[in-house]
Amino acid sequence: MKISELLLEIGDKPYQLKPRWNSDGAGTYFSKSLVLPNSKGFEITINREDEYALVNFYVDRSQRLTGGGDAVAIFSTVINELQDFVRKYRPPLLVFTGAYDDPSRTKLYDRLANRLVTTPAFSGYKNITEYEDVWPEDLIYRLDDIQDVSGQKLYVLASPGYLKKNVYQV
């Protein structure tokens, strides 16, 4: 399946995860997981620091495309769960990364970010790798404290209020 075909189907038939997010109790780490029909594990994790939430998701503890044939369901699930998280916890910034050494994944993430920005919670999307000067100076350093972001394309989805207060228009 081509990426463009996959993206038309995203949102269809997501896997159903439990309605509650597992949390560390301090409101800084959240996760949801399940075992996929192919017996691989699937997990979404969100590290929340002040105004941003750093998102990662894994299939069988890997962030690489698996070629397992369930990419539509995986990405549909990611979109649904991120929308659920945003509704419940309202982070001003939602951040995720894609490795530059995996062009098919970054292309998919470009489209995923554009799809997510159509939700009412977000009004702006920027690849901060290309527009670092418009984001708070310490954002990249704070992300790097949680995970190594070198060699990563960084994506930020911002709430409308955050954009008006904190980001220069590009």
Side-chain angles (χ1 to χ4, degrees):
M1 176 181 289
K2 293 181 181 178
I3 288 178
S4 58
E5 293 169 346
L6 181 140
L7 290 167
L8 290 174
E9 294 184 31
I10 287 181
D12 296 341
K13 303 178 188 155
Y15 292 116
Q16 297 301 310
L17 279 74
K18 293 180 181 175
R20 294 189 60 168
W21 286 89
N22 296 321
S23 174
D24 63 358
T28 59
Y29 181 81
F30 300 86
S31 68
K32 281 190 176 184
S33 61
L34 82 148
V35 176
L36 299 171
N38 61 9
S39 300
K40 293 183 178 183
F42 171 75
E43 181 179 30
I44 298 173
T45 65
I46 300 176
N47 288 294
R48 179 137 187 213
E49 295 284 334
D50 298 325
E51 75 268 0
Y52 71 89
L54 178 62
V55 177
N56 285 289
F57 66 96
Y58 309 88
V59 174
D60 214 20
R61 297 185 182 178
S62 172
Q63 291 187 308
R64 297 280 180 205
L65 295 176
T66 66
D70 58 352
V72 170
I74 297 282
F75 278 90
S76 296
T77 303
V78 170
I79 286 174
N80 283 357
E81 295 305 324
L82 292 180
Q83 289 172 334
D84 175 64
F85 184 84
V86 167
R87 248 187 330 273
K88 289 178 180 173
Y89 300 102
R90 303 198 182 279
L93 297 174
L94 195 62
V95 181
F96 57 98
T97 65
Y100 276 118
D101 66 355
D102 192 347
S104 61
R105 189 172 179 89
T106 54
K107 187 174 183 178
L108 187 57
Y109 275 20
D110 288 342
R111 301 250 177 106
L112 179 64
N114 284 320
R115 175 84 181 247
L116 281 168
V117 82
T118 64
T119 63
F122 299 112
S123 68
Y125 150 64
K126 296 289 183 217
N127 168 2
I128 64 172
T129 307
E130 296 171 6
Y131 297 105
E132 290 180 29
D133 56 319
V134 301
W135 294 102
E137 194 174 298
D138 65 342
L139 181 61
I140 292 174
Y141 300 112
R142 292 168 65 195
L143 291 173
D144 213 27
D145 285 344
I146 295 173
Q147 74 183 44
D148 181 10
V149 295
S150 60
Q152 302 283 316
K153 187 172 185 179
L154 302 174
Y155 300 89
V156 176
L157 293 116
S159 68
Y162 188 89
L163 281 178
K164 287 179 185 174
K165 291 181 197 172
N166 298 295
V167 180
Y168 300 108
Q169 296 302 312
V170 184

Coordinates of all heavy atoms in Angstrom, one line a residue, residues 35-78:
V35 N -1.8 -5.8 23.3 CA -1.2 -6.8 22.5 C -2.0 -6.9 21.1 O -3.2 -7.0 21.1 CB -1.2 -8.2 23.2 CG1 -0.6 -9.3 22.2 CG2 -0.4 -8.1 24.5
L36 N -1.3 -6.7 20.0 CA -1.9 -6.7 18.7 C -2.3 -8.1 18.3 O -1.8 -9.1 18.9 CB -0.9 -6.1 17.7 CG -0.4 -4.7 17.9 CD1 0.7 -4.3 17.0 CD2 -1.6 -3.7 17.8
P37 N -3.2 -8.3 17.3 CA -3.6 -9.6 16.8 C -2.4 -10.5 16.4 O -2.5 -11.7 16.5 CB -4.5 -9.3 15.6 CG -5.0 -7.9 15.9 CD -3.9 -7.2 16.6
N38 N -1.3 -9.9 15.9 CA -0.1 -10.6 15.5 C 0.8 -11.0 16.7 O 1.9 -11.4 16.5 CB 0.7 -9.9 14.4 CG 1.2 -8.6 14.9 OD1 1.2 -8.2 16.1 ND2 1.7 -7.8 14.0
S39 N 0.3 -10.7 17.9 CA 1.0 -11.0 19.2 C 2.1 -10.1 19.5 O 2.9 -10.3 20.5 CB 1.5 -12.5 19.3 OG 0.4 -13.3 19.1
K40 N 2.3 -9.0 18.7 CA 3.3 -8.0 19.1 C 2.7 -7.0 20.0 O 1.5 -6.7 20.0 CB 3.8 -7.3 17.8 CG 4.6 -8.2 16.9 CD 5.1 -7.5 15.7 CE 5.9 -8.4 14.8 NZ 6.5 -7.7 13.7
G41 N 3.6 -6.4 20.8 CA 3.1 -5.4 21.8 C 3.0 -4.0 21.1 O 3.8 -3.7 20.2
F42 N 2.1 -3.2 21.5 CA 1.9 -1.8 21.0 C 1.8 -0.9 22.2 O 1.0 -1.2 23.1 CB 0.6 -1.7 20.1 CG 0.3 -0.3 19.7 CD1 1.0 0.3 18.8 CD2 -0.7 0.4 20.4 CE1 0.7 1.6 18.4 CE2 -1.0 1.7 20.0 CZ -0.3 2.3 19.0
E43 N 2.5 0.2 22.2 CA 2.5 1.1 23.3 C 2.6 2.5 22.8 O 3.4 2.8 21.9 CB 3.6 0.8 24.3 CG 3.6 1.7 25.5 CD 4.7 1.4 26.5 OE1 5.8 0.9 26.1 OE2 4.5 1.6 27.7
I44 N 1.9 3.4 23.4 CA 2.0 4.9 23.2 C 2.4 5.4 24.6 O 1.8 5.1 25.6 CB 0.6 5.5 22.9 CG1 0.1 5.0 21.5 CG2 0.8 7.0 22.8 CD1 -1.3 5.5 21.2
T45 N 3.5 6.2 24.6 CA 3.9 6.9 25.8 C 4.0 8.4 25.5 O 4.2 8.9 24.4 CB 5.3 6.5 26.2 OG1 6.3 6.8 25.2 CG2 5.4 5.0 26.4
I46 N 3.6 9.2 26.6 CA 3.7 10.6 26.5 C 4.4 11.1 27.8 O 4.0 10.8 28.9 CB 2.3 11.2 26.4 CG1 1.6 10.7 25.1 CG2 2.3 12.7 26.4 CD1 0.2 11.1 24.9
N47 N 5.5 11.9 27.6 CA 6.2 12.5 28.7 C 5.7 14.0 28.6 O 5.9 14.7 27.7 CB 7.7 12.5 28.5 CG 8.2 11.1 28.7 OD1 8.2 10.6 29.8 ND2 8.7 10.5 27.7
R48 N 5.1 14.4 29.7 CA 4.6 15.8 29.8 C 5.4 16.6 30.7 O 5.7 16.3 31.8 CB 3.1 15.8 30.3 CG 2.6 17.2 30.4 CD 1.2 17.3 29.9 NE 0.8 18.7 29.9 CZ -0.4 19.1 30.1 NH1 -1.3 18.3 30.3 NH2 -0.6 20.4 30.1
E49 N 5.9 17.7 30.1 CA 6.7 18.7 30.9 C 6.1 20.1 30.7 O 6.2 20.6 29.6 CB 8.2 18.7 30.4 CG 8.9 17.4 30.7 CD 9.3 17.2 32.1 OE1 9.5 18.3 32.8 OE2 9.5 16.1 32.5
D50 N 5.6 20.6 31.7 CA 5.0 22.0 31.6 C 4.1 22.1 30.4 O 3.1 21.5 30.4 CB 6.1 23.1 31.6 CG 6.9 23.1 32.9 OD1 6.4 22.8 33.9 OD2 8.1 23.3 32.8
E51 N 4.5 22.9 29.4 CA 3.6 23.2 28.3 C 3.6 22.2 27.2 O 2.8 22.2 26.3 CB 3.8 24.6 27.8 CG 5.0 24.7 26.9 CD 6.3 25.2 27.7 OE1 6.2 25.3 28.9 OE2 7.3 25.3 27.0
Y52 N 4.6 21.2 27.2 CA 4.6 20.3 26.0 C 4.5 18.9 26.5 O 4.7 18.5 27.6 CB 5.9 20.5 25.2 CG 7.1 20.0 25.9 CD1 7.5 18.7 25.8 CD2 7.9 20.9 26.7 CE1 8.7 18.3 26.4 CE2 9.0 20.4 27.4 CZ 9.4 19.1 27.2 OH 10.5 18.7 27.9
A53 N 4.0 18.1 25.5 CA 3.9 16.6 25.7 C 4.6 15.9 24.6 O 4.3 16.1 23.4 CB 2.4 16.2 25.7
L54 N 5.7 15.1 24.9 CA 6.5 14.4 24.0 C 5.9 13.0 23.8 O 5.8 12.3 24.7 CB 7.9 14.3 24.5 CG 8.9 13.6 23.6 CD1 9.0 14.2 22.2 CD2 10.2 13.5 24.3
V55 N 5.5 12.7 22.5 CA 4.8 11.5 22.2 C 5.8 10.5 21.5 O 6.6 10.9 20.6 CB 3.7 11.8 21.2 CG1 3.0 10.5 20.7 CG2 2.7 12.8 21.8
N56 N 5.7 9.2 21.9 CA 6.4 8.1 21.2 C 5.4 7.0 21.1 O 4.6 6.8 22.0 CB 7.6 7.7 22.0 CG 8.7 8.7 21.9 OD1 9.4 8.7 20.8 ND2 9.0 9.4 22.9
F57 N 5.5 6.2 20.1 CA 4.8 4.9 20.1 C 5.7 3.8 19.5 O 6.6 4.1 18.7 CB 3.5 5.1 19.4 CG 3.6 5.3 17.9 CD1 3.5 4.3 17.0 CD2 3.7 6.7 17.4 CE1 3.6 4.6 15.6 CE2 3.7 6.9 16.1 CZ 3.7 5.9 15.2
Y58 N 5.4 2.6 19.9 CA 6.3 1.5 19.7 C 5.4 0.3 19.3 O 4.4 0.0 19.8 CB 7.1 1.1 20.9 CG 7.8 2.2 21.6 CD1 7.2 3.0 22.5 CD2 9.1 2.5 21.2 CE1 7.8 4.0 23.1 CE2 9.8 3.5 21.8 CZ 9.1 4.3 22.8 OH 9.8 5.3 23.4
V59 N 5.9 -0.5 18.3 CA 5.4 -1.8 18.0 C 6.5 -2.8 18.3 O 7.6 -2.7 17.7 CB 4.9 -1.9 16.6 CG1 4.5 -3.4 16.2 CG2 3.8 -1.0 16.3
D60 N 6.3 -3.7 19.2 CA 7.3 -4.7 19.6 C 8.6 -4.0 20.0 O 9.7 -4.4 19.6 CB 7.6 -5.6 18.4 CG 7.9 -7.1 18.9 OD1 7.5 -7.4 20.0 OD2 8.5 -7.8 18.1
R61 N 8.4 -2.9 20.8 CA 9.5 -2.1 21.4 C 10.4 -1.4 20.4 O 11.5 -1.1 20.6 CB 10.3 -2.9 22.3 CG 9.6 -3.4 23.5 CD 10.4 -4.1 24.5 NE 9.6 -4.6 25.6 CZ 10.1 -5.3 26.6 NH1 11.4 -5.6 26.6 NH2 9.3 -5.7 27.5
S62 N 9.9 -1.2 19.1 CA 10.6 -0.6 18.1 C 9.8 0.6 17.5 O 8.6 0.5 17.5 CB 11.0 -1.6 17.0 OG 11.5 -0.9 15.9
Q63 N 10.5 1.6 17.0 CA 9.8 2.7 16.4 C 10.0 2.6 14.9 O 9.6 3.6 14.2 CB 10.3 4.0 16.9 CG 9.9 4.2 18.4 CD 10.2 5.6 18.9 OE1 11.4 6.0 18.8 NE2 9.2 6.3 19.4
R64 N 10.5 1.6 14.3 CA 10.7 1.4 12.9 C 9.4 0.9 12.3 O 8.6 0.2 13.0 CB 11.8 0.4 12.6 CG 13.1 0.9 13.1 CD 13.7 1.9 12.1 NE 15.0 2.3 12.6 CZ 15.5 3.5 12.2 NH1 14.8 4.3 11.4 NH2 16.7 3.9 12.6
L65 N 9.2 1.2 11.0 CA 8.0 0.6 10.3 C 8.3 -0.9 10.3 O 9.3 -1.4 9.9 CB 7.9 1.1 8.9 CG 7.6 2.6 8.8 CD1 7.6 3.1 7.3 CD2 6.2 2.9 9.4
T66 N 7.2 -1.7 10.6 CA 7.4 -3.1 10.8 C 7.1 -3.9 9.5 O 7.6 -5.0 9.3 CB 6.5 -3.7 11.9 OG1 5.1 -3.5 11.5 CG2 6.7 -3.0 13.2
G67 N 6.3 -3.3 8.6 CA 5.9 -4.1 7.4 C 4.9 -5.2 7.7 O 4.7 -6.1 6.9
G68 N 4.3 -5.1 8.9 CA 3.4 -6.2 9.3 C 2.0 -6.1 8.7 O 1.2 -6.9 9.0
G69 N 1.8 -5.1 7.9 CA 0.5 -5.0 7.2 C -0.6 -4.3 8.0 O -1.8 -4.3 7.5
D70 N -0.3 -3.8 9.2 CA -1.4 -3.2 10.0 C -1.1 -1.7 10.3 O -1.6 -1.1 11.2 CB -1.6 -3.9 11.3 CG -0.4 -4.0 12.2 OD1 0.7 -3.6 11.7 OD2 -0.5 -4.5 13.3
A71 N -0.4 -1.1 9.3 CA 0.0 0.3 9.5 C -1.3 1.2 9.6 O -1.3 2.2 10.4 CB 0.8 0.8 8.4
V72 N -2.3 1.0 8.9 CA -3.5 1.8 8.9 C -4.1 1.7 10.3 O -4.4 2.8 10.9 CB -4.6 1.3 7.9 CG1 -5.9 2.0 8.1 CG2 -4.1 1.6 6.5
A73 N -4.3 0.5 10.9 CA -4.8 0.4 12.2 C -3.9 1.0 13.3 O -4.4 1.7 14.2 CB -5.1 -1.1 12.6
I74 N -2.6 0.9 13.1 CA -1.7 1.5 14.1 C -1.8 3.0 14.1 O -2.0 3.6 15.1 CB -0.2 1.1 13.8 CG1 0.0 -0.4 13.9 CG2 0.8 1.9 14.6 CD1 0.1 -1.0 15.3
F75 N -1.7 3.6 12.9 CA -1.8 5.1 12.8 C -3.1 5.6 13.2 O -3.3 6.7 13.8 CB -1.2 5.6 11.5 CG 0.2 5.7 11.4 CD1 1.0 4.6 11.0 CD2 0.9 6.8 11.9 CE1 2.4 4.7 11.0 CE2 2.3 6.9 11.9 CZ 3.0 5.8 11.5
S76 N -4.2 4.9 12.9 CA -5.5 5.2 13.3 C -5.6 5.3 14.8 O -6.2 6.2 15.4 CB -6.6 4.3 12.7 OG -6.6 4.3 11.3
T77 N -5.0 4.3 15.4 CA -5.0 4.2 16.9 C -4.2 5.3 17.5 O -4.7 6.0 18.4 CB -4.4 2.8 17.3 OG1 -5.1 1.8 16.7 CG2 -4.4 2.7 18.8
V78 N -3.1 5.6 16.9 CA -2.2 6.8 17.4 C -3.0 8.1 17.3 O -3.1 8.8 18.3 CB -0.9 6.9 16.6 CG1 -0.2 8.2 17.0 CG2 0.0 5.7 16.9

